[in-house]
Amino acid sequence: MSLKPVEQTVLVGPADAVDPKPHDAVRVAATLVSAAIIICALYFGRDVLIPLACAFLISFALHPLVSWLVRVGLPRIGAVIVVMTMILVLIGGLVVVLGAQLRSLSEELPTYQSTIRAKIDDMRGQFKVPAVLDDPMGAVEEERKSEPAATADTPQRVEVVPRPKEPIEMASEWLAPSLQPLATAGIVFVFVFLALLDRSDLRDRLLRLLGGNLHRSTDALEEAATRISKYLLMQVIVNVSYGVPMAIGLWVIGVPGAMLWGAVAAIMRFVPYVGPLISAVFPIGLAFAVDPGWSMVLWTIALILVLELISNNIVEPVLYGTSTGLSAMSLIAAATFWTALWGPVGLILSTPLTVCLLVLGKNVPQLRFLDTILGSMPALDTPTRIYQRLIADDADEAIDIATTEIEKSSVKEFYNEVGIPVLRLASEDYLRHATPEHRLRVANGLEELLDELREEFPAEGEQLGHAPILCIGGKWEMDTVAAEMLAHALELEGLPAGAHAASTLGTSNLADLELGQGGIVCLSYFSANPIIPARQLCRRLRRKWPEVRIVLALWDAPAELLEGDALRDLGVHEIVTSIDEAIGRLHRMVAPEEAEAAHVAEPPENEAERVAALHATGVLSGDAKEELDAIAIRAADVFNVDLAVISAIDASEEFIIGQSRKLPGDTRAEGDGMLVIPRGDAVCDHVVSSGDTLVVADTDRDPRFADNPTLKMWNARFYAGAPLRTADGIVFGAMCILDKEPRTLDEQELKVLATMAADVVAEITGDDVGEDGADSAEPKDPTATVGQPVPE
């Protein structure tokens, strides 16, 4: 009999050193070498790359105008020619006007020189400048005259007179400095023309270069084009909104060439950071030269300061918004990097080029680090940020973050969306990474955090007349902290509650619990397999209080455990997995009638007008059922769900006016056998009541819908409904998708659902709603979800 070697699993602690794998070092070296090659290529190929980059960015800005002309009916080449001609005419007219202004200023230069001399003499007199500095050139001349005269032995200066230059040589010297910019401008012009003309072919080639997932590559190009086009358009609007008031203000003040300096200010704002400073020098210097006094200079400086404050703090935040998605630090770093590579042109192009890198980082997995480095979105989510502050022994900052989040929503939502995930992170790291010091810091920090929140947000108002709900930690400290969070949330909702540590359930302490008639105990667990400890505690409680009602809060249990029968065999009354679900189910246990009433959707304020408008469309007669069924089938295919329905809510009933497949339920003979559901059983009634998109990630975990007969009949665990809102703000019903399995929707999917809801409204009303209708149908509050993180 041979003995097989026994495999041992060794847990690597934080103090154990793990040698990096050789291929990891090779990968890092290859990445660094590739980055160095790319940077060198950008630097040495700048003569070719700069015109290409400028051309593509300009084509992004001009493409919407070309597309509009094509939609109007012009052929593409005609539209491109018209747009390019308009740009050339605009540039030519601007050059002519500004040239006239510049020529007028040059004619007045002698007058300005005398004013400057007089003002400087006046300043010297006021500040009592030493005599030796009154006329430095005169002092030098006197010194030269005082030198001894040259003798016969003194060497004589010899001056070499160059040969007079030919006219051709003089012309070359004058033209040479301007040839390179003109050549570059010509190359950019040709590239812009070709990029606008062959945009589809260029897009196909870029897709081929990106390779990989065609969906991801298409999204990357569309996002880059949208962000850059919006940024450039907003940049033009911001600059014009700065330059026009500048020109008007300088004209009112009396500074010569006001139109010229307004145009210079608008153009120079394309250069980040230094452009506005450079453009301000010219009008301030001219005001100094023109006015013998100081009023014009002071008024000019005040004008520039006011315009800068308005532009930086009002105009730019409103217009830019999050058009680039870049953080402030990445903008400065990008400006430094591209300026070092490509000079002043790189400074101008730094933001659009960095936007392209950001989009690549968001859509190419291998470049995901660019999104982390450059993006404006927080690198860590809120639970991770709070948990990290606790690890770092910075409870004050953790409290600040928590308070900020609560101000955006509520204490209950904070505990549900942030507090429990923080405890989940602590539980996962307990045996893997945490040291004793880290565990102590987290425990102390959580204690400070909860004390601060209980003090700042105390329970106010009348509590329901019931014995306190005892929230007890099941095993260890994180279970107890979760119980304390639940107890605080229950008190804020008007339910009397108290929290106890896991040690309370010991044999010696069990008698100290105050459980009256109909008492409720909520046992809190973060364990992935809580069956054995929960069974023991339940038995112990029932031996002492046979009538006690037990709720099991499993904050981190796997889905397969919740769906099995093992937990039901424990004899617990309810199983909850979130703060929201716990509050809902405990409310129903304490005050069932009040909880039931709270879950009923209230009719909207315009109920009578809404019902009348719905009947006026004639959709309840079933005339548009075939078309609406087609939209429902498309929605089920688009979202890859089991079922899609389109509902219309009458005064007392819900009509299924479109469905992706045949459904069980009561039908009417009229209306082409349309399925009819009592309004009280309609989930879509909550959408009509609020006017917002509703997403229920798991209906079994939502007390409002866990026992809904319609969802049970359709075997639906997931629900999402977008309101069918008309241009007048009337909500007829909802565009709904349902599935057998729990799931979530991201922000983009919510927008797609809203767009399809707008298509339904257009079909019902006969109006071409288009994008405006889709926008109006978007959820006003995408946070109206259950068990789903809020998209940022």
Side-chain angles (χ1 to χ4, degrees), residues 572-607:
V572 298
H573 287 73
E574 298 285 355
I575 298 173
V576 299
T577 60
S578 66
I579 297 289
D580 278 343
E581 183 184 1
I583 292 175
R585 294 192 184 278
L586 289 169
H587 192 188
R588 178 173 293 184
M589 293 173 66
V590 172
E593 295 182 358
E594 180 179 327
E596 192 67 27
H599 292 166
V600 175
E602 295 293 333
E605 296 180 357
N606 61 344
E607 175 68 7

mmCIF file of all heavy atoms in Angstrom, residues 572-607:
data_model
loop_
_atom_site.group_PDB
_atom_site.id
_atom_site.type_symbol
_atom_site.label_atom_id
_atom_site.label_comp_id
_atom_site.label_asym_id
_atom_site.label_seq_id
_atom_site.Cartn_x
_atom_site.Cartn_y
_atom_site.Cartn_z
ATOM 1 N N VAL A 572 -36.812 30.061 11.366
ATOM 2 C CA VAL A 572 -36.838 31.518 11.448
ATOM 3 C C VAL A 572 -38.030 32.049 10.660
ATOM 4 O O VAL A 572 -38.497 31.422 9.699
ATOM 5 C CB VAL A 572 -35.518 32.123 10.912
ATOM 6 C CG1 VAL A 572 -34.344 31.666 11.739
ATOM 7 C CG2 VAL A 572 -35.313 31.754 9.457
ATOM 8 N N HIS A 573 -38.531 33.207 11.071
ATOM 9 C CA HIS A 573 -39.684 33.786 10.401
ATOM 10 C C HIS A 573 -39.323 34.470 9.085
ATOM 11 O O HIS A 573 -40.072 34.388 8.117
ATOM 12 C CB HIS A 573 -40.386 34.781 11.338
ATOM 13 C CG HIS A 573 -41.137 34.140 12.453
ATOM 14 N ND1 HIS A 573 -40.505 33.556 13.533
ATOM 15 C CD2 HIS A 573 -42.476 33.974 12.666
ATOM 16 C CE1 HIS A 573 -41.407 33.069 14.364
ATOM 17 N NE2 HIS A 573 -42.604 33.314 13.864
ATOM 18 N N GLU A 574 -38.179 35.177 9.065
ATOM 19 C CA GLU A 574 -37.776 35.910 7.862
ATOM 20 C C GLU A 574 -36.267 35.804 7.697
ATOM 21 O O GLU A 574 -35.528 35.653 8.680
ATOM 22 C CB GLU A 574 -38.166 37.396 7.948
ATOM 23 C CG GLU A 574 -39.653 37.663 8.045
ATOM 24 C CD GLU A 574 -40.390 37.468 6.728
ATOM 25 O OE1 GLU A 574 -39.706 37.207 5.717
ATOM 26 O OE2 GLU A 574 -41.623 37.567 6.714
ATOM 27 N N ILE A 575 -35.827 35.889 6.456
ATOM 28 C CA ILE A 575 -34.410 35.962 6.114
ATOM 29 C C ILE A 575 -34.214 37.222 5.290
ATOM 30 O O ILE A 575 -34.889 37.417 4.269
ATOM 31 C CB ILE A 575 -33.946 34.728 5.322
ATOM 32 C CG1 ILE A 575 -34.125 33.468 6.164
ATOM 33 C CG2 ILE A 575 -32.486 34.872 4.905
ATOM 34 C CD1 ILE A 575 -33.836 32.195 5.390
ATOM 35 N N VAL A 576 -33.315 38.095 5.716
ATOM 36 C CA VAL A 576 -33.068 39.359 5.021
ATOM 37 C C VAL A 576 -31.589 39.443 4.662
ATOM 38 O O VAL A 576 -30.745 38.807 5.297
ATOM 39 C CB VAL A 576 -33.480 40.573 5.887
ATOM 40 C CG1 VAL A 576 -34.969 40.518 6.192
ATOM 41 C CG2 VAL A 576 -32.682 40.615 7.182
ATOM 42 N N THR A 577 -31.291 40.240 3.644
ATOM 43 C CA THR A 577 -29.906 40.380 3.188
ATOM 44 C C THR A 577 -29.450 41.819 3.081
ATOM 45 O O THR A 577 -28.309 42.066 2.669
ATOM 46 C CB THR A 577 -29.745 39.713 1.803
ATOM 47 O OG1 THR A 577 -30.622 40.345 0.869
ATOM 48 C CG2 THR A 577 -30.064 38.224 1.877
ATOM 49 N N SER A 578 -30.303 42.779 3.393
ATOM 50 C CA SER A 578 -29.917 44.188 3.299
ATOM 51 C C SER A 578 -30.674 44.984 4.352
ATOM 52 O O SER A 578 -31.677 44.515 4.920
ATOM 53 C CB SER A 578 -30.215 44.749 1.909
ATOM 54 O OG SER A 578 -31.616 44.788 1.680
ATOM 55 N N ILE A 579 -30.206 46.195 4.603
ATOM 56 C CA ILE A 579 -30.865 47.082 5.560
ATOM 57 C C ILE A 579 -32.271 47.423 5.091
ATOM 58 O O ILE A 579 -33.235 47.400 5.873
ATOM 59 C CB ILE A 579 -30.037 48.360 5.771
ATOM 60 C CG1 ILE A 579 -28.664 48.034 6.381
ATOM 61 C CG2 ILE A 579 -30.781 49.359 6.644
ATOM 62 C CD1 ILE A 579 -28.695 47.591 7.816
ATOM 63 N N ASP A 580 -32.424 47.737 3.812
ATOM 64 C CA ASP A 580 -33.748 48.073 3.279
ATOM 65 C C ASP A 580 -34.722 46.925 3.453
ATOM 66 O O ASP A 580 -35.867 47.115 3.876
ATOM 67 C CB ASP A 580 -33.627 48.440 1.791
ATOM 68 C CG ASP A 580 -33.192 49.877 1.591
ATOM 69 O OD1 ASP A 580 -33.299 50.657 2.548
ATOM 70 O OD2 ASP A 580 -32.733 50.212 0.486
ATOM 71 N N GLU A 581 -34.279 45.724 3.097
ATOM 72 C CA GLU A 581 -35.164 44.568 3.220
ATOM 73 C C GLU A 581 -35.502 44.300 4.680
ATOM 74 O O GLU A 581 -36.656 43.981 5.016
ATOM 75 C CB GLU A 581 -34.509 43.339 2.597
ATOM 76 C CG GLU A 581 -35.400 42.108 2.625
ATOM 77 C CD GLU A 581 -34.702 40.877 2.092
ATOM 78 O OE1 GLU A 581 -33.511 40.983 1.708
ATOM 79 O OE2 GLU A 581 -35.342 39.807 2.071
ATOM 80 N N ALA A 582 -34.535 44.431 5.556
ATOM 81 C CA ALA A 582 -34.785 44.195 6.977
ATOM 82 C C ALA A 582 -35.816 45.180 7.524
ATOM 83 O O ALA A 582 -36.747 44.789 8.258
ATOM 84 C CB ALA A 582 -33.479 44.305 7.761
ATOM 85 N N ILE A 583 -35.672 46.459 7.170
ATOM 86 C CA ILE A 583 -36.630 47.463 7.645
ATOM 87 C C ILE A 583 -38.027 47.146 7.123
ATOM 88 O O ILE A 583 -39.022 47.198 7.865
ATOM 89 C CB ILE A 583 -36.174 48.870 7.219
ATOM 90 C CG1 ILE A 583 -34.901 49.254 7.973
ATOM 91 C CG2 ILE A 583 -37.281 49.890 7.474
ATOM 92 C CD1 ILE A 583 -34.313 50.567 7.532
ATOM 93 N N GLY A 584 -38.124 46.793 5.838
ATOM 94 C CA GLY A 584 -39.434 46.504 5.269
ATOM 95 C C GLY A 584 -40.103 45.306 5.917
ATOM 96 O O GLY A 584 -41.296 45.344 6.257
ATOM 97 N N ARG A 585 -39.354 44.230 6.117
ATOM 98 C CA ARG A 585 -39.960 43.015 6.676
ATOM 99 C C ARG A 585 -40.254 43.183 8.166
ATOM 100 O O ARG A 585 -41.290 42.699 8.658
ATOM 101 C CB ARG A 585 -39.035 41.830 6.431
ATOM 102 C CG ARG A 585 -38.887 41.499 4.947
ATOM 103 C CD ARG A 585 -38.216 40.159 4.734
ATOM 104 N NE ARG A 585 -38.000 39.881 3.327
ATOM 105 C CZ ARG A 585 -38.915 39.392 2.488
ATOM 106 N NH1 ARG A 585 -40.132 39.126 2.952
ATOM 107 N NH2 ARG A 585 -38.632 39.172 1.226
ATOM 108 N N LEU A 586 -39.373 43.846 8.894
ATOM 109 C CA LEU A 586 -39.639 44.074 10.316
ATOM 110 C C LEU A 586 -40.825 45.022 10.515
ATOM 111 O O LEU A 586 -41.606 44.866 11.456
ATOM 112 C CB LEU A 586 -38.393 44.627 11.004
ATOM 113 C CG LEU A 586 -37.241 43.624 11.172
ATOM 114 C CD1 LEU A 586 -35.974 44.327 11.621
ATOM 115 C CD2 LEU A 586 -37.626 42.533 12.171
ATOM 116 N N HIS A 587 -40.940 46.003 9.630
ATOM 117 C CA HIS A 587 -42.097 46.902 9.704
ATOM 118 C C HIS A 587 -43.387 46.119 9.508
ATOM 119 O O HIS A 587 -44.394 46.347 10.194
ATOM 120 C CB HIS A 587 -41.971 47.997 8.641
ATOM 121 C CG HIS A 587 -42.941 49.108 8.812
ATOM 122 N ND1 HIS A 587 -43.112 50.111 7.878
ATOM 123 C CD2 HIS A 587 -43.827 49.386 9.811
ATOM 124 C CE1 HIS A 587 -44.038 50.950 8.297
ATOM 125 N NE2 HIS A 587 -44.493 50.539 9.460
ATOM 126 N N ARG A 588 -43.366 45.173 8.579
ATOM 127 C CA ARG A 588 -44.566 44.360 8.340
ATOM 128 C C ARG A 588 -44.865 43.465 9.539
ATOM 129 O O ARG A 588 -46.035 43.220 9.859
ATOM 130 C CB ARG A 588 -44.376 43.525 7.082
ATOM 131 C CG ARG A 588 -45.543 42.606 6.770
ATOM 132 C CD ARG A 588 -45.396 41.933 5.430
ATOM 133 N NE ARG A 588 -45.495 42.896 4.346
ATOM 134 C CZ ARG A 588 -45.472 42.552 3.042
ATOM 135 N NH1 ARG A 588 -45.335 41.290 2.704
ATOM 136 N NH2 ARG A 588 -45.565 43.480 2.115
ATOM 137 N N MET A 589 -43.841 42.970 10.214
ATOM 138 C CA MET A 589 -44.070 42.126 11.392
ATOM 139 C C MET A 589 -44.615 42.934 12.563
ATOM 140 O O MET A 589 -45.472 42.458 13.316
ATOM 141 C CB MET A 589 -42.755 41.452 11.794
ATOM 142 C CG MET A 589 -42.247 40.443 10.773
ATOM 143 S SD MET A 589 -40.600 39.808 11.184
ATOM 144 C CE MET A 589 -40.963 38.923 12.700
ATOM 145 N N VAL A 590 -44.135 44.174 12.726
ATOM 146 C CA VAL A 590 -44.569 44.998 13.848
ATOM 147 C C VAL A 590 -45.938 45.613 13.588
ATOM 148 O O VAL A 590 -46.821 45.595 14.458
ATOM 149 C CB VAL A 590 -43.523 46.111 14.113
ATOM 150 C CG1 VAL A 590 -44.035 47.098 15.145
ATOM 151 C CG2 VAL A 590 -42.214 45.500 14.561
ATOM 152 N N ALA A 591 -46.136 46.195 12.409
ATOM 153 C CA ALA A 591 -47.392 46.872 12.077
ATOM 154 C C ALA A 591 -47.792 46.487 10.657
ATOM 155 O O ALA A 591 -47.529 47.236 9.709
ATOM 156 C CB ALA A 591 -47.245 48.390 12.209
ATOM 157 N N PRO A 592 -48.397 45.332 10.466
ATOM 158 C CA PRO A 592 -48.681 44.844 9.108
ATOM 159 C C PRO A 592 -49.608 45.767 8.320
ATOM 160 O O PRO A 592 -49.384 45.969 7.123
ATOM 161 C CB PRO A 592 -49.317 43.472 9.348
ATOM 162 C CG PRO A 592 -49.711 43.448 10.785
ATOM 163 C CD PRO A 592 -48.797 44.366 11.503
ATOM 164 N N GLU A 593 -50.630 46.316 8.938
ATOM 165 C CA GLU A 593 -51.555 47.175 8.201
ATOM 166 C C GLU A 593 -50.868 48.453 7.745
ATOM 167 O O GLU A 593 -51.047 48.897 6.604
ATOM 168 C CB GLU A 593 -52.770 47.499 9.076
ATOM 169 C CG GLU A 593 -53.617 46.284 9.426
ATOM 170 C CD GLU A 593 -54.822 46.663 10.256
ATOM 171 O OE1 GLU A 593 -54.950 47.875 10.580
ATOM 172 O OE2 GLU A 593 -55.624 45.771 10.588
ATOM 173 N N GLU A 594 -50.106 49.038 8.636
ATOM 174 C CA GLU A 594 -49.394 50.270 8.269
ATOM 175 C C GLU A 594 -48.358 50.009 7.184
ATOM 176 O O GLU A 594 -48.191 50.803 6.251
ATOM 177 C CB GLU A 594 -48.728 50.858 9.506
ATOM 178 C CG GLU A 594 -47.963 52.145 9.234
ATOM 179 C CD GLU A 594 -47.322 52.713 10.482
ATOM 180 O OE1 GLU A 594 -47.916 52.539 11.564
ATOM 181 O OE2 GLU A 594 -46.239 53.317 10.372
ATOM 182 N N ALA A 595 -47.636 48.887 7.275
ATOM 183 C CA ALA A 595 -46.640 48.549 6.262
ATOM 184 C C ALA A 595 -47.297 48.304 4.912
ATOM 185 O O ALA A 595 -46.779 48.716 3.870
ATOM 186 C CB ALA A 595 -45.852 47.315 6.704
ATOM 187 N N GLU A 596 -48.455 47.625 4.923
ATOM 188 C CA GLU A 596 -49.164 47.368 3.668
ATOM 189 C C GLU A 596 -49.615 48.668 3.028
ATOM 190 O O GLU A 596 -49.517 48.852 1.808
ATOM 191 C CB GLU A 596 -50.365 46.466 3.948
ATOM 192 C CG GLU A 596 -51.012 45.893 2.702
ATOM 193 C CD GLU A 596 -50.135 44.909 1.971
ATOM 194 O OE1 GLU A 596 -49.279 44.271 2.621
ATOM 195 O OE2 GLU A 596 -50.282 44.787 0.739
ATOM 196 N N ALA A 597 -50.098 49.584 3.861
ATOM 197 C CA ALA A 597 -50.537 50.878 3.321
ATOM 198 C C ALA A 597 -49.363 51.677 2.761
ATOM 199 O O ALA A 597 -49.503 52.391 1.766
ATOM 200 C CB ALA A 597 -51.253 51.679 4.413
ATOM 201 N N ALA A 598 -48.197 51.543 3.400
ATOM 202 C CA ALA A 598 -47.026 52.288 2.932
ATOM 203 C C ALA A 598 -46.535 51.780 1.586
ATOM 204 O O ALA A 598 -45.884 52.521 0.833
ATOM 205 C CB ALA A 598 -45.903 52.198 3.957
ATOM 206 N N HIS A 599 -46.846 50.522 1.256
ATOM 207 C CA HIS A 599 -46.374 49.937 0.001
ATOM 208 C C HIS A 599 -47.330 50.183 -1.160
ATOM 209 O O HIS A 599 -47.025 49.824 -2.295
ATOM 210 C CB HIS A 599 -46.159 48.433 0.170
ATOM 211 C CG HIS A 599 -45.017 48.100 1.082
ATOM 212 N ND1 HIS A 599 -44.819 46.847 1.604
ATOM 213 C CD2 HIS A 599 -44.019 48.869 1.566
ATOM 214 C CE1 HIS A 599 -43.735 46.854 2.364
ATOM 215 N NE2 HIS A 599 -43.238 48.077 2.361
ATOM 216 N N VAL A 600 -48.484 50.773 -0.893
ATOM 217 C CA VAL A 600 -49.443 51.067 -1.951
ATOM 218 C C VAL A 600 -49.005 52.332 -2.691
ATOM 219 O O VAL A 600 -48.678 53.341 -2.070
ATOM 220 C CB VAL A 600 -50.861 51.242 -1.372
ATOM 221 C CG1 VAL A 600 -51.837 51.670 -2.459
ATOM 222 C CG2 VAL A 600 -51.321 49.949 -0.710
ATOM 223 N N ALA A 601 -48.996 52.253 -4.012
ATOM 224 C CA ALA A 601 -48.590 53.404 -4.817
ATOM 225 C C ALA A 601 -49.710 54.440 -4.843
ATOM 226 O O ALA A 601 -50.860 54.121 -5.187
ATOM 227 C CB ALA A 601 -48.254 52.951 -6.244
ATOM 228 N N GLU A 602 -49.364 55.671 -4.487
ATOM 229 C CA GLU A 602 -50.345 56.754 -4.497
ATOM 230 C C GLU A 602 -50.573 57.251 -5.921
ATOM 231 O O GLU A 602 -49.623 57.366 -6.703
ATOM 232 C CB GLU A 602 -49.872 57.908 -3.619
ATOM 233 C CG GLU A 602 -49.776 57.569 -2.144
ATOM 234 C CD GLU A 602 -51.136 57.314 -1.525
ATOM 235 O OE1 GLU A 602 -52.129 57.876 -2.041
ATOM 236 O OE2 GLU A 602 -51.206 56.561 -0.539
ATOM 237 N N PRO A 603 -51.828 57.551 -6.298
ATOM 238 C CA PRO A 603 -52.076 58.096 -7.637
ATOM 239 C C PRO A 603 -51.374 59.436 -7.808
ATOM 240 O O PRO A 603 -51.241 60.196 -6.847
ATOM 241 C CB PRO A 603 -53.609 58.250 -7.684
ATOM 242 C CG PRO A 603 -54.115 57.367 -6.590
ATOM 243 C CD PRO A 603 -53.058 57.353 -5.531
ATOM 244 N N PRO A 604 -50.924 59.750 -9.014
ATOM 245 C CA PRO A 604 -50.275 61.058 -9.233
ATOM 246 C C PRO A 604 -51.278 62.193 -9.088
ATOM 247 O O PRO A 604 -52.503 61.982 -9.096
ATOM 248 C CB PRO A 604 -49.747 60.944 -10.669
ATOM 249 C CG PRO A 604 -50.575 59.888 -11.306
ATOM 250 C CD PRO A 604 -50.953 58.925 -10.225
ATOM 251 N N GLU A 605 -50.776 63.407 -8.966
ATOM 252 C CA GLU A 605 -51.642 64.562 -8.754
ATOM 253 C C GLU A 605 -52.573 64.810 -9.932
ATOM 254 O O GLU A 605 -53.693 65.281 -9.763
ATOM 255 C CB GLU A 605 -50.782 65.802 -8.478
ATOM 256 C CG GLU A 605 -49.963 65.718 -7.192
ATOM 257 C CD GLU A 605 -49.132 66.959 -6.960
ATOM 258 O OE1 GLU A 605 -49.154 67.852 -7.837
ATOM 259 O OE2 GLU A 605 -48.460 67.039 -5.913
ATOM 260 N N ASN A 606 -52.109 64.495 -11.137
ATOM 261 C CA ASN A 606 -52.923 64.738 -12.330
ATOM 262 C C ASN A 606 -53.646 63.461 -12.763
ATOM 263 O O ASN A 606 -53.766 63.177 -13.965
ATOM 264 C CB ASN A 606 -52.061 65.272 -13.464
ATOM 265 C CG ASN A 606 -50.967 64.288 -13.861
ATOM 266 O OD1 ASN A 606 -50.648 63.340 -13.118
ATOM 267 N ND2 ASN A 606 -50.394 64.490 -15.041
ATOM 268 N N GLU A 607 -54.137 62.665 -11.799
ATOM 269 C CA GLU A 607 -54.719 61.356 -12.093
ATOM 270 C C GLU A 607 -55.884 61.465 -13.070
ATOM 271 O O GLU A 607 -55.955 60.721 -14.057
ATOM 272 C CB GLU A 607 -55.154 60.684 -10.793
ATOM 273 C CG GLU A 607 -55.892 59.363 -10.979
ATOM 274 C CD GLU A 607 -55.024 58.253 -11.515
ATOM 275 O OE1 GLU A 607 -53.795 58.453 -11.635
ATOM 276 O OE2 GLU A 607 -55.563 57.175 -11.821
#
